[in-house]
C-alpha cells in the first residue's frame, strides 16, 4: 500500500533544542498532503527524515512501496554537475548506486586505470536494474521540459539549464515515474506561472501518494487534499482540502477556549510526554537523557506559567513606512539588456504597484537590477526621479553584507538602541533567533530579516525579486498587507499569483523578447497562459 505513516517523531538538531516532538500523522494511498507551519518549524526536516537523509531522535515511520524524493534546492547547488548526475540523485537507491558506479567506471576507462572489466560489469548491472528504461524516461521528460535539445545527459551541464528548466525536468520525471510515494520540498520554487499551472495539473492527475511542502497558496488550494499542521512543537491534521483549512483552524482555536485552557492542554501534553519517556528510560537506560530533557522541558513550561502556549497564532507585523517622492519615479527609455528583450520605454509613477511577469529566462531579474542602478542596460537609459530612495529584496537572499553577522547586530545597525532592535525582531517573529548568524537562518527567516531591514531603512521605492518565495503563508500575508499601506512605489518580479493579484498593472516580457504593458491581473494571467496570442489580447499595449 502506498501510504505514509508517521508515529511519535522527535528531532533536535545537533547541539540545539528540540525542533519538534510527538509528530504523528498518516497519508492514505493516493492522497496529496501538504505540511504547513511557520518558517523554521521543521517542515523540510520531516521530509528529510522520511527520505532517510537524517535520523529522528525518536519515533517511527513507514512508507509503502517505492518512494522518491525531491529536495528544495535540487539542481541549484552543483551547476557544474552533468544532468545525469542530477537525475541519478532522484532515482531509486538501487539505480542510483548502479548509475554512480557506471560513472566511476567510465572515468576509470578514460584515465586508463580500468582494463574494461569494471566498465562491462557496470553496464550489465545498469541494464539489469532498468537503467536504460530510466534513460528513456529522462529523454521524454527533457523533450517536454527543456527548450534546447538534450543530446547527451552525461555531458550536458546542469548550469546550462535555467533554474525553472532544472526544476521542471526533475518534477516531470518524478510525477511520471510511477513511484508509490513522492516527497516534494517546495516543488513550485523557481517555476514561472505557466509552469506552476502545469505542475498543479500534473499533481492533480498523479496517482502517487504525495507529501509536499509549499507556500504557493494557489497551488495548495488546487492540489492539497489533506493538511498536516506544525504548531508549537507538535502537529495536528486537517483531513480536508487546503481550501477549507483556514476555517477549520479558526474552529479548532475557538474550541480550545481561552488562554488558560490552552495552557492547561499544553501542560498535560508535556507532562504525558515526560511520563512516557520516563517509562522508556526504565526499560532502556539509553533513554535516560531524553527523559531528563522531557522533564526539564515540562518544568520550565510550568515555571513560566500562563498565558498562551506556542500554538497561538504567529504574529508577524510588517510596517513599511515609505515617503513621498516626485510623481515620475522611474523613466525607462529604449532599454534593452543583452539579447534578453527588445528595447522598450515606460514610466513608473509614485504609488504604483507594478508586476514584472513572463516566462523564466526572459530577463526580469536583470531588468530589476538595472532599475536598482546595480547594472547598466546594454541599450537605452534608466533615470530616477527626485527624492527617490531605492530598497531591494533579492530572490535568493544574496546579502554578502549580512554574512557573519547575527540578526540582532544587523537590525541594531539600523535603529537607535538595543530595545528597539529586539522589538523589531519580535514583530517579525525573529526574537528567538536574534543571536543566530544570517547564514544559519532558514530561507524564510532570511527573507523576513531582509524585509525588516527595508522597513527600517525607510525607502520610498521597493524593488522586490520573488519576495514571497521562501516566506511562510502568514509572513506572505503580512507582507502583502504592509505593501497595501506602504507610502511609495513597488516594482516586483513574482510568480506568486496571490501576491500578483494586488498589483496595479504589469510589464510582461515574452520569450521572443517582446515587452507588453498589461493593465490588470486577469488579463495578465490570460497573457501568461496564451503567450503566442499576447499581442492579440484586448488592452495589451506593445512597449517595444
Amino acid at each position: 500500500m502506498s501510504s505514509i505513516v508517521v508515529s511519535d517523531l522527535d528531532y533536535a538538531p545537533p547541539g540545539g533544542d528540540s525542533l519538534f516532538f510527538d509528530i504523528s500523522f498518516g497519508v492514505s494511498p493516493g492522497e496529496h498532503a501538504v505540511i504547513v507551519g511557520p518558517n523554521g518549524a521543521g517542515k523540510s526536516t520531516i521530509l528529510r527524515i522520511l527520505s532517510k537523509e537524517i535520523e529522528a531522535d525518536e519515533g517511527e515511520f513507514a512508507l509503502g512501496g517505492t518512494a522518491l524524493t525531491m529536495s528544495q534546492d535540487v539542481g541549484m547547488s552543483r551547476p557544474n554537475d552533468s544532468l545525469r548526475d542530477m537525475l541519478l540523485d532522484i532515482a531509486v537507491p538501487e539505480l542510483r548506486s548502479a548509475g554512480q558506479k557506471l560513472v566511476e567506471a567510465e572515468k576509470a576507462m578514460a584515465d586508463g586505470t580500468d582494463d574494461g572489466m569494471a566498465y562491462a560489469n557496470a553496464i550489465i548491472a545498469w541494464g539489469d536494474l532498468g537503467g536504460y528504461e530510466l534513460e528513456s524516461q529522462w529523454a521524454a521528460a527533457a523533450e517536454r521540459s527543456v527548450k534546447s535539445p538534450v543530446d547527451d545527459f552525461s555531458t550536458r551541464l546542469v548550469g546550462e539549464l535555467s533554474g525553472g528548466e532544472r526544476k521542471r525536468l526533475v518534477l516531470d520525471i518524478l510525477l511520471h515515474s510511477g513511484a508509490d510515494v513522492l516527497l516534494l520540498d517546495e516543488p513550485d520554487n523557481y517555476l514561472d506561472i505557466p509552469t506552476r499551472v502545469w505542475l498543479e495539473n500534473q499533481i492533480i492527475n498523479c496517482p502517487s501518494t504525495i507529501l509536499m511542502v509549499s507556500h504557493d497558496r494557489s497551488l495548495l488550494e488546487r492540489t492539497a487534499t489533506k493538511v498536516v499542521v506544525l504548531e508549537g512543537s507538535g502537529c495536528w491534521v486537517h483531513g480536508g482540502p487546503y481550501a477549507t483549512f483556514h476555517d477549520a483552524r479558526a474552529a479548532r482555536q475557538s474550541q480550545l477556549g481561552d488562554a488558560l485552557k490552552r495552557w492547561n492542554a499544553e501542560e498535560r501534553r508535556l507532562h504525558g510526554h515526560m511520563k512516557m519517556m520516563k517509562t522508556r528510560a526504565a526499560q532502556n537506560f539509553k533513554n535516560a537523557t531524553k527523559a531528563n530533557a522531557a522533564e526539564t522541558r515540562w518544568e520550565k513550561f510550568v515555571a513560566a506559567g500562563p498565558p498562551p502556549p506556542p500554538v497561538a497564532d504567529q504574529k508577524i507585523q510588517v510596517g513599511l513606512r515609505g515617503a513621498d517622492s516626485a510623481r515620475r519615479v522611474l523613466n525607462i527609455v529604449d532599454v534593452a539588456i543583452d539579447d534578453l528583450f527588445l528595447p522598450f520605454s515606460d514610466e513608473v509613477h509614485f504609488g504604483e504597484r507594478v508586476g514584472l511577469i513572463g516566462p523564466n529566462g526572459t530577463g526580469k531579474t536583470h531588468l530589476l537590477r538595472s532599475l536598482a542602478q546595480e547594472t547598466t542596460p546594454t541599450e537605452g537609459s534608466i533615470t530616477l526621479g527626485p527624492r527617490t530612495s531605492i530598497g531591494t529584496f533579492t530572490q535568493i537572499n544574496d546579502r554578502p553584507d549580512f554574512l557573519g553577522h547575527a540578526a540582532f547586530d544587523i537590525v541594531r545597525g539600523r535603529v537607535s538602541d538595543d530595545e528597539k532592535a529586539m522589538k523589531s525582531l519580535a514583530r517579525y517573529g525573529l526574537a528567538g533567533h536574534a543571536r543566530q548568524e544570517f547564514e544559519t537562518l532558514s530561507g524564510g527567516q532570511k527573507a523576513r530579516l531582509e524585509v525588516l531591514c527595508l522597513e527600517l531603512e525607510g525607502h520610498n521605492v521597493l524593488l522586490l525579486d520573488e519576495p514571497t518565495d521562501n516566506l511562510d503563508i502568514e509572513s506572505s500575508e503580512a507582507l502583502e498587507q504592509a505593501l497595501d499601506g506602504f507610502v511609495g512605489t513597488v516594482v516586483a518580479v513574482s510568480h506568486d499569483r496571490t501576491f500578483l493579484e494586488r498589483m496595479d498593472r504589469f510589464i510582461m516580457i515574452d520569450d521572443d523578447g517582446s515587452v507588453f504593458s498589461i493593465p490588470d491581473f486577469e488579463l495578465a494571467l490570460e497573457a501568461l497562459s496564451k503567450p503566442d496570442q499576447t499581442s492579440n489580447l484586448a488592452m495589451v499595449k506593445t512597449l517595444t
Side-chain angles (χ1 to χ4, degrees), residues 87-243:
L87 298 181
L88 282 174
D89 283 345
I90 62 167
V92 294
E94 297 82 2
L95 267 173
R96 186 187 316 143
S97 177
Q100 290 167 347
K101 288 178 181 177
L102 180 57
V103 172
E104 293 167 3
E106 287 175 352
K107 292 178 181 177
M109 281 283 288
D111 62 24
T113 58
D114 175 34
D115 60 4
M117 287 300 296
Y119 179 63
N121 290 333
I123 286 180
I124 293 170
W126 176 248
D128 288 346
L129 289 168
Y132 295 114
E133 289 82 355
L134 182 61
E135 288 182 23
S136 295
Q137 294 176 24
W138 293 353
E143 191 172 343
R144 293 187 293 261
S145 306
V146 182
K147 293 177 182 177
S148 55
V150 179
D151 298 319
D152 189 345
F153 285 87
S154 65
T155 58
R156 185 75 175 269
L157 298 182
V158 170
E160 295 174 13
L161 273 59
S162 70
E165 285 180 315
R166 300 173 209 177
K167 204 72 176 275
R168 172 160 176 164
L169 175 60
V170 169
L171 285 165
D172 194 308
I173 290 167
L174 292 175
L175 291 165
H176 290 92
S177 66
D180 297 296
V181 174
L182 295 176
L183 305 174
L184 308 177
D185 194 0
E186 299 283 8
D188 49 277
N189 274 9
Y190 302 101
L191 299 184
D192 55 28
I193 290 175
T195 310
R196 291 187 186 211
V197 173
W198 166 86
L199 174 61
E200 290 169 359
N201 292 330
Q202 293 296 314
I203 290 175
I204 289 169
N205 294 312
C206 182
S208 303
T209 302
I210 297 176
L211 180 62
M212 60 184 167
V213 172
S214 174
H215 298 139
D216 186 318
R217 289 156 286 181
S218 298
L219 182 144
L220 295 181
E221 286 178 0
R222 286 199 66 202
T223 64
T225 60
K226 174 177 281 188
V227 184
V228 179
V229 190
L230 296 191
E231 288 189 315
S233 300
C235 81
W236 61 278
V237 176
H238 170 53
Y242 182 80

Side-chain angles (χ1 to χ4, degrees), residues 438-449:
F438 178 73
E439 52 267 40
T440 68
L441 298 172
S442 72
Q445 290 161 349
K446 289 177 182 176
R448 273 191 257 159
L449 182 59

Side-chain angles (χ1 to χ4, degrees), residues 466-479:
E466 298 287 2
T468 61
D469 242 17
N470 288 309
L471 292 179
D472 58 44
I473 292 168
E474 291 81 1
S475 300
S476 294
E477 291 172 347
L479 173 61

